[in-house]
């Protein structure tokens, strides 16, 4: 096939004016049935593509029941949203023209859910099969009448762009087989409508070419297709200055037009909801226009009423059918099982997000609670903790003050961890937007600080080495007292380092003969059954001991386990040449990859926590009970 002749589904160069213009008009009855129109109005329908009938329905008997049915639908929706925690009030005190607006303000998209409802209350059915109305439709398509598969409850809340319907032809939503099928539509408002509260406009004679113009998808952030004005001029011959007609329809009236008549609804700038129904009919022996996915419902055969099977008609999900129709129009082939699987994965993903946040933060709740408890215990009963420090000479050490500082640090750190974990855990369980938002921000800031610290550590590692070594040398020169004096905790810390890391000094033991001079060099040892006093060249803690664990709790046992009692004098069996800074650095590097792995794991968990919180925040914009309906509406 020549590429210039190729046509996508939903696009066609064919035209069928004979199906929509005056030659399609059926023979009119000589005797009018109730409700039937004068012949000049029927001719107008075929010549101009529309007719406005200002007074047709008995509002008390035929339209007020429709209002009551809608009130019930709104009430059901409000209860579902309220039970799901999406709205704070049911707004029962508000009336037919205000209630949905308040619900929509709390839960944007509520009007779309109602618009996409597949429910056909009895009042809707009665209106669609109204005898007087069907008598009019008989004048347009003949005595055999079926419903179209497509009908709509229009919920135009005030100042809501999502409810503004752009220029289009109804066949822009149907398949190609509808392009030579006349489908009359009755647009029936449930209040007086005009150009200020979302009334209708039509482009008269826009149907006369018998063509469906090229529609664009989609208008704004909606699922509506749209017909650009230039396309209307070029393809349909519409004069936008002369042919556009605003149609104010009073309550009790209706606007009739066909599926090729370009039309649109205007913005609702009033303070009331503009409610309307649009109902469609066609001949039952012609294609129903929804890709074979749903048929219409037979209402009349040879002019006689047929008992319609509304339950069977309603059992086919109209929203799913519309979704698939739109997919066909834009040539998107979607495997239904795959689509269902994807939706299941999305649902599972949100479930996993909630599970992760609850489990992850429960662990940190316990950790934070433990830190809090320990800090409080230390503050409340310091004396019990001090018993554990009796092996240290605490006369000149302010141990209570140190313990208090540690306790306050534990309380502050534990409290912060507990609070953040509480926000994450409860926010996930309750789907609380405020908690989840604060949690995501705090964890995000913590992650950013950690990332910045890692970067700075890499960039300034050499500078840090110089600073750390220089600071340790200064502390050694000013604070080291030797192993006989445990009054200074820093001096004691140096001795413990020498013993545990098997090292001596910061860079080597030679420091104790040069720069480090403020330490007790007196060394007393037993030799030949008597005690000898000598001068130590290195602290005895730099020597080898067979029982290192005895220091500092059992100093005598520790001293007696020295492998060579001449070591402090002549450095025999010592670690004289092994500086502690190199040992510390070596130890650190040996655990570096473990630290990196832990840091990466913590960072990954934090990122997952942030993503999970964001996923739940996004999910919170949907109503679970209406999930399938809303997805179809957004398709």
């Amino acid at each position: 096939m020549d590429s210039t002749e190729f046509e996508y589904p939903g696009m066609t160069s064919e035209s069928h004016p004979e199906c929509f213009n005056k030659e399609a008009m059926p023979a009119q009855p000589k005797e009018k049935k109730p409700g039937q129109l004068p012949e000049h109005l029927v001719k107008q329908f075929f010549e101009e593509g529309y007719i406005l009938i200002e007074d047709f329905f008995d509002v008390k008997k035929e339209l007020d029941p429709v209002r009551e049915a809608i009130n019930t639908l709104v009430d059901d929706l409000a209860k579902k949203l309220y039970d799901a925690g999406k709205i704070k009030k049911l707004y029962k005190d508000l009336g037919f023209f205000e209630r949905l607006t308040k619900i929509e303000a709390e839960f944007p998209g509520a009007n779309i859910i109602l618009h996409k409802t597949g429910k056909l209350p009895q009042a809707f059915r009665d209106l669609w099969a109204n005898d007087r109305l069907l008598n009019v439709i008989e004048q347009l398509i003949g005595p055999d009448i079926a419903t179209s598969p497509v009908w709509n409850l229009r919920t135009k809340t005030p100042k809501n762009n999502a409810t503004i319907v752009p220029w289009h032809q109804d066949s822009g939503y149907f398949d190609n087989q509808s392009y030579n099928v006349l489908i009359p539509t009755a647009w029936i408002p449930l209040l007086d409508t005009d150009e200020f509260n979302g009334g209708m406009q039509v482009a008269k004679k826009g149907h006369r070419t018998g063509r469906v113009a090229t529609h664009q998808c989609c208008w704004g952030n909606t699922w509506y297709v749209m017909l650009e004005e230039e396309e209307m001029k070029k393809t349909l011959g519409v004069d936008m200055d002369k042919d556009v007609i605003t149609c104010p329809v009073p309550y009790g009236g209706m606007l009739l037009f066909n599926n090729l008549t370009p039309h649109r609804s205007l913005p609702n700038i009033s303070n009331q909801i503009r409610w309307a129904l649009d109902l469609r009919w066609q001949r039952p022996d012609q294609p129903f226009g929804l890709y074979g996915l749903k048929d219409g419902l037979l209402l009349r055969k040879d002019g006689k009423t047929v008992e319609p099977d509304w339950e069977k008609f309603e059992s086919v999900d109209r929203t799913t059918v519309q979704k698939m129709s739109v997919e066909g129009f834009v040539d998107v082939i979607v495997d239904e099982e795959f689509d269902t699987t994807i939706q299941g994965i999305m649902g599972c993903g949100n479930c996993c997000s909630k599970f992760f946040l609850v489990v992850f933060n429960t662990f940190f709740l316990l950790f934070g609670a433990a830190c809090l408890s320990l800090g409080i215990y230390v503050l409340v009963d310091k004396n019990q903790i001090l018993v554990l420090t009796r092996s240290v000479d605490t006369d000149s050490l302010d141990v209570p003050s140190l313990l208090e500082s540690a306790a306050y640090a534990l309380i502050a750190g534990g409290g912060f961890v507990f609070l953040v974990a509480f926000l994450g855990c409860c926010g996930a369980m309750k789907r609380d937007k405020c908690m989840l938002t604060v949690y995501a921000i705090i964890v995000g800031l913590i992650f950013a600080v950690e990332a910045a610290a890692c970067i700075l550590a890499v960039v300034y590692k050499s500078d840090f080495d110089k600073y750390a070594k220089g600071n340790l040398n200064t502390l050694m020169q000013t604070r080291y007292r030797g192993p006989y004096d445990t009054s200074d905790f820093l001096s004691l810390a140096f001795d413990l380092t020498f013993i545990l890391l098997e090292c001596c000094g910061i860079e080597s033991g030679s420091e104790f003969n040069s720069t480090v001079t403020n330490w007790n060099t007196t060394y007393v040892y037993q030799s030949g059954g008597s005690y000898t006093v000598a001068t130590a060249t290195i602290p005895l803690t730099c020597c080898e001991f067979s029982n290192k664990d005895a220091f500092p709790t059992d100093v005598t046992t520790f001293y007696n386990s020295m492998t060579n009692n001449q070591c402090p004098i002549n450095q025999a069996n010592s670690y004289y040449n092994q500086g502690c800074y190199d040992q510390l650095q070596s130890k650190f590097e040996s655990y570096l990859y473990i630290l990196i792995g832990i840091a990466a794991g913590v960072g990954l968990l934090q990122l997952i926590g942030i993503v999970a919180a964001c996923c739940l925040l996004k999910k919170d914009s949907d109503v679970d009970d209406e999930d399938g309906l809303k997805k179809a509406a957004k398709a």
Side-chain angles (χ1 to χ4, degrees):
M1 179 184 289
D2 185 1
S3 61
T4 59
E5 297 176 357
F6 181 80
E7 293 167 351
Y8 291 96
M11 300 176 64
T12 179
S13 58
E14 62 184 272
S15 61
H16 300 279
E18 73 283 355
C19 298
F20 302 93
N21 291 333
K22 189 175 179 181
E23 53 265 41
M25 177 176 165
Q28 297 300 297
K30 294 179 180 179
E31 293 184 8
K32 293 287 193 293
K33 296 180 181 180
Q36 287 190 326
L37 307 175
E39 191 167 333
H40 76 276
L41 286 180
V42 179
K43 287 182 179 179
Q44 180 188 333
F45 178 84
F46 288 97
E47 290 174 351
E48 297 189 351
Y50 80 102
I51 45 177
L52 170 58
I53 305 169
E54 294 185 347
D55 185 12
F56 183 82
F57 297 103
D58 183 330
V59 295
K60 289 185 178 180
K61 293 181 179 180
E62 297 170 334
L63 296 188
D64 283 355
V66 174
R67 284 185 173 182
E68 288 305 314
I70 293 173
N71 274 331
T72 300
L73 292 176
V74 174
D75 193 55
D76 291 343
L77 175 61
K79 288 176 181 176
K80 288 181 180 179
L81 295 178
Y82 180 79
D83 290 342
K86 307 303 180 184
I87 59 176
K88 298 177 181 178
K89 290 180 60 179
L90 291 173
Y91 299 106
K92 285 188 174 182
D93 56 318
L94 299 179
F96 181 67
F97 297 109
E98 294 85 21
R99 188 179 184 186
L100 183 62
T101 302
K102 287 291 187 180
I103 295 172
E104 173 76 13
E106 276 201 59
F107 187 77
N111 74 86
I112 303 301
I113 295 173
L114 203 60
H115 166 64
K116 284 293 180 181
T117 181
K119 295 180 180 178
L120 266 173
Q122 189 60 47
F124 291 17
R125 299 174 182 183
D126 293 343
L127 189 64
W128 209 349
N130 180 281
D131 276 338
R132 294 171 57 253
L133 185 52
L134 291 183
N135 289 340
V136 174
I137 301 304
E138 185 176 323
Q139 290 180 281
L140 306 180
I141 63 175
D144 294 344
I145 303 173
T147 69
S148 164
V150 179
W151 65 277
N152 287 296
L153 169 62
R154 301 289 183 180
T155 60
K156 189 180 284 289
T157 48
K159 305 172 184 67
N160 188 343
N161 288 337
T163 63
I164 301 172
V165 183
W167 284 113
H168 69 283
Q169 297 166 289
D170 281 349
S171 280
Y173 289 97
F174 301 151
D175 64 31
N176 297 43
Q177 290 182 316
S178 72
Y179 296 177
N180 60 354
V181 177
L182 177 62
I183 306 173
T185 296
W187 185 78
I188 306 169
L190 299 174
L191 75 167
D192 295 340
T193 59
D194 53 32
E195 65 269 31
F196 301 109
N197 69 347
M200 293 283 285
Q201 284 186 332
V202 299
K204 69 177 183 180
K205 300 181 180 179
H207 70 295
R208 59 190 170 183
T209 63
R211 294 192 62 184
V212 178
T214 301
H215 289 65
Q216 307 297 323
C217 186
C218 295
W219 184 77
N221 293 319
T222 71
W223 66 91
Y224 295 126
V225 298
M226 60 181 177
L227 188 54
E228 295 178 339
E229 292 187 5
E230 287 301 316
E231 177 68 10
M232 292 169 65
K233 295 175 186 178
K234 180 181 71 174
T235 304
L236 306 179
V238 174
D239 186 328
M240 299 303 294
D241 295 324
K242 296 179 181 180
D243 294 338
V244 174
I245 308 296
T246 301
C247 303
V249 184
Y251 185 43
M254 64 177 172
L255 178 67
L256 286 171
F257 52 88
N258 68 58
N259 48 307
L260 293 195
T261 303
H263 59 285
R264 69 174 177 179
S265 71
L266 298 170
N268 182 4
I269 59 174
S270 73
N271 294 321
Q272 291 188 320
I273 302 167
R274 190 228 65 190
W275 294 99
L277 277 175
D278 51 62
L279 306 173
R280 295 175 177 83
W281 302 263
Q282 66 174 76
R283 285 175 51 182
D285 60 343
Q286 293 180 321
F288 285 102
L290 274 177
Y291 305 88
L293 297 171
K294 183 173 181 177
D295 293 336
L297 180 64
L298 184 64
L299 298 177
R300 279 190 180 178
K301 180 67 175 176
D302 297 327
K304 296 179 180 179
T305 300
V306 175
E307 187 65 30
D309 188 349
W310 290 106
E311 300 302 327
K312 180 179 179 181
F313 177 79
E314 194 175 346
S315 67
V316 179
D317 187 354
R318 180 203 62 146
T319 304
T320 301
V321 171
Q322 284 184 310
K323 179 178 184 288
M324 297 177 71
S325 297
V326 174
E327 288 171 350
F329 175 77
V330 297
D331 196 31
V332 178
I333 301 174
V334 178
D335 182 84
E336 185 176 0
E337 183 178 350
F338 174 77
D339 188 51
T340 303
T341 303
I342 291 299
Q343 291 183 24
I345 290 171
M346 290 173 66
C348 180
N350 284 285
C351 220
C352 290
S353 297
K354 180 178 178 180
F355 177 79
F356 173 82
L357 284 175
V358 171
V359 173
F360 177 66
N361 288 290
T362 297
F363 170 79
F364 280 101
L365 270 173
L366 296 174
F367 177 76
C371 291
L372 271 171
S373 301
L374 180 59
I376 293 170
Y377 174 70
V378 171
L379 284 181
V380 171
D381 200 354
K382 286 186 293 186
N383 291 332
Q384 292 295 324
I385 305 299
L386 288 173
V387 171
L388 301 176
T389 66
R390 285 180 179 172
S391 59
V392 181
D393 181 5
T394 59
D395 292 338
S396 56
L397 275 176
D398 192 3
V399 175
S401 178
L402 289 172
L403 286 173
E404 282 186 6
S405 299
Y408 287 126
L410 280 171
I411 291 171
F416 179 75
V417 171
F418 185 88
L419 177 61
V420 174
F422 176 82
L423 288 171
C425 193
C426 290
M429 294 177 69
K430 295 291 186 181
R431 297 278 182 90
D432 188 282
K433 287 184 178 180
C434 182
M435 284 186 173
L436 287 172
T437 301
V438 174
Y439 172 80
I441 291 171
I442 292 175
V443 176
L445 290 173
I446 294 172
F447 179 79
V449 170
E450 291 170 347
C454 290
I455 294 170
L456 290 173
V458 172
V459 173
Y460 295 104
K461 182 179 181 300
S462 59
D463 292 340
F464 175 77
D465 285 346
K466 293 177 183 177
Y467 171 80
K469 186 180 289 187
N471 192 48
L472 286 173
N473 276 319
T474 300
L475 287 173
M476 177 74 77
Q477 293 166 21
T478 58
R479 300 290 292 272
Y480 186 67
R481 298 288 180 267
Y484 308 115
D485 186 354
T486 59
S487 63
D488 190 302
F489 71 94
L490 277 176
S491 179
L492 180 61
F494 278 121
D495 281 319
L496 285 170
T497 303
F498 299 159
I499 295 167
L500 296 176
L501 295 186
E502 298 180 346
C503 58
C504 192
I506 303 303
E507 296 184 68
S508 74
S510 63
E511 296 166 4
F512 295 102
N513 296 316
S514 56
T515 57
V516 182
T517 58
N518 192 25
W519 63 288
N520 186 356
T521 59
T522 300
Y523 175 58
V524 180
Y525 65 99
Q526 191 173 15
S527 177
S530 61
Y531 287 96
T532 302
V533 178
T535 300
T537 59
I538 58 172
L540 60 87
T541 47
C542 289
C543 300
E544 289 183 357
F545 289 87
S546 59
N547 190 350
K548 292 191 272 185
D549 295 334
F551 186 85
T553 55
D554 187 354
V555 176
T556 301
T557 301
F558 174 71
Y559 289 162
N560 291 335
S561 69
M562 187 184 298
T563 59
N564 187 333
N565 62 5
Q566 297 296 307
C567 171
I569 303 169
N570 56 25
Q571 300 99 42
N573 291 29
S574 73
Y575 306 107
Y576 183 80
N577 293 320
Q578 297 181 27
C580 288
Y581 189 81
D582 289 340
Q583 292 293 92
L584 284 169
Q585 194 174 49
S586 176
K587 282 286 183 183
F588 175 78
E589 288 178 354
S590 68
Y591 292 110
L592 179 61
Y593 292 111
I594 296 175
L595 291 172
I596 290 173
I598 293 172
V602 171
L604 179 61
L605 289 174
Q606 289 171 333
L607 275 178
I608 294 173
I610 296 168
V611 172
C614 292
C615 287
L616 284 179
L617 283 170
K618 183 178 183 300
K619 178 67 176 175
D620 214 30
S621 65
D622 298 329
V623 179
D624 293 338
D625 292 339
E626 303 290 348
D627 185 65
L629 200 57
K630 285 197 71 180
K631 286 177 181 174
K634 292 178 180 178

